[in-house]
Amino acid sequence: MEKEKRVAVISIIVEDPSAVEEVNGILHEGRDFIIGRMGLPYKEKKVNIISVVLDAPQPVTSAISGRLGRIPNVSVKTAYSNV
């Protein structure tokens, strides 16, 4: 039986440009669950802001979020829907 999927948003703030490649690599690995993503470079503050929307089993979303959160100078928060 397939695990129940939930819609979630992972919000990512990248404070070090050298971390972008690792962030993108992790997101690429989760591409089958990603509905869409939006990235905004905020040049004034020298950060990149990324929002990723997924429809995935909760353990998959947690694993992606956890891996992203272990990258130095990357902040991550995840919000889950009830559906």
Side-chain angles (χ1 to χ4, degrees):
M1 185 169 131
E2 184 179 329
K3 290 189 179 189
E4 183 178 329
K5 292 181 177 181
R6 291 176 67 186
V7 175
V9 178
I10 299 176
S11 301
I12 308 160
I13 298 177
V14 182
E15 297 174 358
D16 180 357
S18 68
V20 171
E21 188 174 336
E22 188 174 358
V23 168
N24 283 329
I26 292 169
L27 295 177
H28 180 74
E29 290 175 22
R31 67 191 173 278
D32 292 338
F33 300 101
I34 294 175
I35 299 169
R37 68 183 269 184
M38 177 179 63
L40 300 169
Y42 190 10
K43 292 181 175 135
E44 287 179 25
K45 300 286 183 174
K46 297 183 180 166
V47 297
N48 292 296
I49 304 152
I50 305 167
S51 295
V52 181
V53 181
L54 304 98
D55 188 9
Q58 189 272 331
V60 171
T61 302
S62 291
I64 293 169
S65 181
R67 287 179 64 199
L68 292 166
R70 286 191 290 277
I71 301 170
N73 300 307
V74 174
S75 301
V76 179
K77 294 291 180 191
T78 304
Y80 291 93
S81 73
N82 293 322
V83 281

